[in-house]
Amino acid sequence: MATGSKLGDYLRVRRERLRPDDVGLPTGARRRVPGLRREEVALLAGISMEYYLRLEQGRDRHPSDQVLDSIARALRLDADAETYLRELARPARAARRRPSRPERVSASVQSLIDNWTTTPALVHGRHMTTLAANSMAVALSPFFAPGVNTLRAAFLEPEMRELYRDWDEMTAKTVAYLRSIIGGAVDDPRLAELIGELSLRSERFRMLWARQDVRQKTSGSVRMLHPQIGSLDLHYEKLALPGAPGQMLVTYHAEHGSPSHERLQLLAHLAPRPSPDRSAAARTPR
């Protein structure tokens, strides 16, 4: 049951996902709740049951750093999950709202990725909408094109499920990554609209979002099945662009000499060349 407190909801979900034997407690024959009981978390954290209950129910939203340290240890949170816990407990002060301006990618970044003729590359904005992409990225998937929200496409476009041979793993990583980059700022209207839409239209997203997983994974591997060149085993890197808050450069590459590397070379011959007058301005997200 939601508490009306993001911190409280997070504590409850993480508590319910832990088993007693995960933390060295006896399982017992009769347990009426999934995961740990509140009193067990309080015991492990070395705080009173009454205080922990106030936190989880949203009646106390300002725990000390010492309490957060203790709860993070009790709930076995890793570094990313603990960072998220602290962001929920210490949300950044909301800045005075200004008229929103379209996110744009600099001409120099657009020129840079256009010159990577065998490396798919794109730039995401704050809401995971593609702001810029080179020809290789669009040849890899039309859903990597500028103006497309890759989070929405991952869950709602059947072609994306066909593209990713590891679709279940990819979507789980994507939602955990989304939580890591938004922190406590889930009140962003556009972000709230996107999360609401996906929660209504995708059972998979709804389940993953409710798990409250957090993982700031900026590198890894994906397995794809391209309709023209076949199977691809690729590595990805996500790099924050200095001076462009919220913008992330994403690249894909294959091990040199591997079958996937050879297939990327073939894709490079199939990809259209960028026009000389390409603009770096972002298209209107859809």
Side-chain angles (χ1 to χ4, degrees):
M1 179 181 296
T3 66
S5 160
K6 298 179 180 66
L7 174 61
D9 289 342
Y10 186 61
L11 292 175
R12 176 185 56 78
V13 170
R14 298 304 301 229
R15 171 176 62 82
E16 291 178 350
R17 290 181 55 190
L18 272 179
R19 295 164 54 91
D21 51 7
D22 292 333
V23 295
L25 294 175
T27 302
R30 300 176 63 182
R31 297 183 68 89
R32 297 182 179 180
V33 296
L36 297 183
R37 300 185 179 99
R38 294 188 181 95
E39 56 266 30
E40 290 170 333
V41 176
L43 176 65
L44 292 168
I47 60 179
S48 72
M49 166 60 186
E50 291 76 11
Y51 182 61
Y52 179 79
L53 181 61
R54 291 202 305 271
L55 288 174
E56 196 169 293
Q57 290 181 341
R59 293 186 287 121
D60 189 318
R61 307 189 186 196
H62 305 287
S64 67
D65 289 336
Q66 183 178 3
V67 167
L68 292 175
D69 288 341
S70 299
I71 290 177
R73 287 193 298 269
L75 294 177
R76 302 297 193 266
L77 302 184
D78 61 19
D80 290 337
E82 182 175 351
T83 297
Y84 184 71
L85 172 70
R86 293 182 182 279
E87 289 174 344
L88 292 178
R90 307 274 192 277
R93 186 181 298 275
R96 181 175 296 178
R97 191 173 298 279
R98 300 176 180 177
S100 59
R101 297 179 180 178
E103 291 184 277
R104 298 182 183 276
V105 171
S106 70
S108 60
V109 169
Q110 180 72 71
S111 177
L112 174 68
I113 64 175
D114 281 343
N115 284 324
W116 294 343
T117 56
T118 60
T119 301
L122 59 150
V123 177
H124 279 161
R126 288 187 297 270
H127 306 96
M128 297 184 72
T129 293
T130 301
L131 306 178
N134 63 9
S135 297
M136 278 292 287
V138 179
L140 187 60
S141 171
F143 295 105
F144 291 160
V148 177
N149 186 279
T150 55
L151 178 65
R152 180 185 289 111
F155 287 93
L156 302 184
E157 299 293 347
E159 293 88 343
M160 288 289 271
R161 188 160 190 163
E162 296 174 2
L163 174 66
Y164 283 91
R165 291 147 56 204
D166 54 356
W167 184 80
D168 285 343
E169 180 181 355
M170 181 275 292
T171 51
K173 288 179 179 178
T174 298
V175 173
Y177 173 73
L178 174 66
R179 276 203 182 272
S180 78
I181 61 175
I182 65 175
V186 291
D187 292 328
D188 180 303
R190 281 185 57 194
L191 183 63
E193 180 182 1
L194 178 60
I195 292 172
E197 177 191 3
L198 291 175
S199 296
L200 287 173
R201 299 180 61 188
S202 169
E203 180 180 356
R204 172 72 176 166
F205 178 86
R206 187 164 58 251
M207 181 273 291
L208 290 172
W209 187 251
R211 285 175 59 86
Q212 301 251 12
D213 287 332
V214 184
R215 183 59 56 88
Q216 192 171 20
K217 191 170 181 62
T218 56
S219 63
S221 60
V222 294
R223 298 184 299 126
M224 296 182 174
L225 181 61
H226 193 274
Q228 291 177 287
I229 59 175
S231 296
L232 292 167
D233 295 310
L234 303 178
H235 302 284
Y236 65 84
E237 300 288 341
K238 298 179 181 179
L239 306 171
L241 293 178
Q247 292 188 16
M248 190 74 66
L249 172 63
V250 184
T251 65
Y252 295 90
H253 66 279
E255 291 186 15
H256 187 77
S258 67
S260 293
H261 181 263
E262 294 176 358
R263 288 169 185 150
L264 279 184
Q265 306 305 305
L266 174 59
L267 185 63
H269 289 288
L270 300 175
R273 297 296 178 186
S275 59
D277 59 346
R278 177 192 287 230
S279 170
R283 288 168 49 186
T284 302
R286 64 173 188 265

